Amino acid sequence: MTGARRGNGSRPARRGQSTTTVGDERSALRVLVMVGGPGAGKGTQARYLSAALGLPHVASGDLFRDAMAEGTPTGLEAKAYYDRGALVPDELTVRMIAERLDQPDAASGAILDGFPRTVPQARALDGFLLRRGTRLEGALYIDVSEDELVRRLSGRWICSGPAQHVYHVVNHPPERPGICDFDGTELSQRADDAADTIVARLEKQLPPMYEVVDYYAERGLLLPVAGETRASEVTDALLRAIEHAVAEPVT
Ligand code: AP5
């Protein structure tokens, strides 16, 4: 497998002065999106950013997994796509995210992890934010090669506790094999991290993701960071990118 195409790393084109800083309570509605291939580290980083910025972490994949576990109509419809590593149709996905963003805890904004995954989803998000009198703060793009994506997905183990702590057999192993360091629950692999589903996810999901990367680059909103360094270094790079975007917003 070849390395992933590098994202368009061009700096945002039109940025000016801002009255806000990272974590500034004066910001009315702050929405950031996390873009990256399956296994790029979006979830790992979104948890840190959520704590650092005081914004809820809204992960489309988690919402689908919850809906499937509960057997809701959304879950039943999504399952056929999810199980074969395909994207769930835009209309269903956009509706689910819009309902989630209308929840009280997202009144001040959110970190969206895994949404948008297609240009129609990105356009729908723009429309949603416009109706609320705001726009996207930035699109954080974690750039990771395809070979590394495969290594990360195939070595990922997740705890069965409510916090769903994430491990990796090589990069981030638990102290006791198969047991979560935090809540002592058993670790398991996600069904869609099976080898053949990983291949399907990359084949089906990377092309539309690159279109989303281009969409945000063209609008001066792309905040690319190198994703193949230690997780803490990726977090620092993301926070610096957000700080820069807040200091010089697109006008
Ligand atoms: P989703 O759950 O969003 O899966 P994904 O995008 O494939 O992303 P992952 O959760 O697999 O990976 P991640 O980037 O969060 O990486 P992680 O932090 O875990 O979506 C699942 C499915 O739902 C999709 O296939 C689709 O069917 C559907 N879906 C979801 N959103 C949709 C949408 N918008 N539209 C349509 N359908 C949608 O890290 C991975 C591993 O790497 C871990 O083991 C971690 O420990 C390790 N790691 C992380 N960072 C580092 C680092 N810096 N160095 C070394 N190891 C690291």
Side-chain angles (χ1 to χ4, degrees):
M1 212 176 275
T2 59
R5 196 196 68 168
R6 303 294 295 184
N8 182 338
S10 61
R11 294 305 310 159
R14 291 164 286 124
R15 294 193 180 277
Q17 283 304 110
S18 166
T19 55
T20 58
T21 57
V22 172
D24 191 326
E25 290 173 3
R26 289 171 292 167
S27 312
L29 181 63
R30 300 187 69 187
V31 176
L32 289 143
V33 299
M34 309 215 51
V35 182
K42 301 181 300 295
T44 299
Q45 296 301 329
R47 287 182 191 94
Y48 291 126
L49 296 183
S50 169
L53 304 179
L55 294 171
H57 169 199
V58 172
S60 47
D62 288 347
L63 293 176
F64 282 130
R65 281 183 286 279
D66 289 347
M68 287 188 284
E70 290 164 15
T72 66
T74 295
L76 293 174
E77 192 176 339
K79 190 171 177 1
Y81 300 93
Y82 185 102
D83 284 349
R84 58 174 203 270
L87 289 174
V88 177
D90 289 336
E91 190 269 332
L92 182 65
T93 306
V94 166
R95 185 159 23 98
M96 178 183 74
I97 291 290
E99 284 170 9
R100 178 64 186 85
L101 289 178
D102 277 337
Q103 298 298 309
D105 70 318
S108 58
I111 303 202
L112 296 180
D113 159 10
F115 179 93
R117 293 273 245 282
T118 65
V119 168
Q121 290 181 16
R123 290 212 171 95
L125 178 63
D126 284 347
F128 178 93
L129 295 176
L130 195 63
R131 288 192 290 281
R132 280 155 184 75
T134 190
R135 64 173 99 174
L136 192 70
E137 189 166 301
L140 298 157
Y141 172 42
I142 306 179
D143 192 3
V144 171
S145 69
E146 288 181 37
D147 288 344
E148 178 63 12
L149 293 176
V150 172
R151 278 192 287 276
R152 289 190 184 179
L153 292 173
S154 51
R156 174 168 60 185
W157 287 78
I158 300 175
C159 92
S160 46
Q164 301 191 324
H165 299 104
V166 178
Y167 297 86
H168 189 278
V169 281
V170 177
N171 304 334
H172 178 41
E175 284 175 17
R176 284 183 294 158
I179 303 293
C180 178
D181 295 344
F182 297 97
D183 53 30
T185 61
E186 275 187 33
L187 306 184
S188 63
Q189 287 195 288
R190 254 169 55 178
D192 62 338
D193 283 348
D196 53 347
T197 315
I198 289 175
V199 172
R201 285 161 72 193
L202 296 184
E203 281 180 4
K204 291 173 184 166
Q205 300 187 20
L206 287 181
M209 183 204 75
Y210 292 131
E211 291 175 11
V212 170
V213 167
D214 289 344
Y215 177 88
Y216 286 126
E218 285 159 13
R219 284 155 183 76
L221 287 167
L222 193 72
L223 305 172
V225 302
E228 292 188 38
T229 56
R230 290 157 57 98
S232 60
E233 291 171 28
V234 178
T235 309
D236 290 344
L238 290 168
L239 287 170
R240 278 196 304 275
I242 295 168
E243 207 156 356
H244 179 78
V246 168
E248 294 188 37
V250 174
T251 53

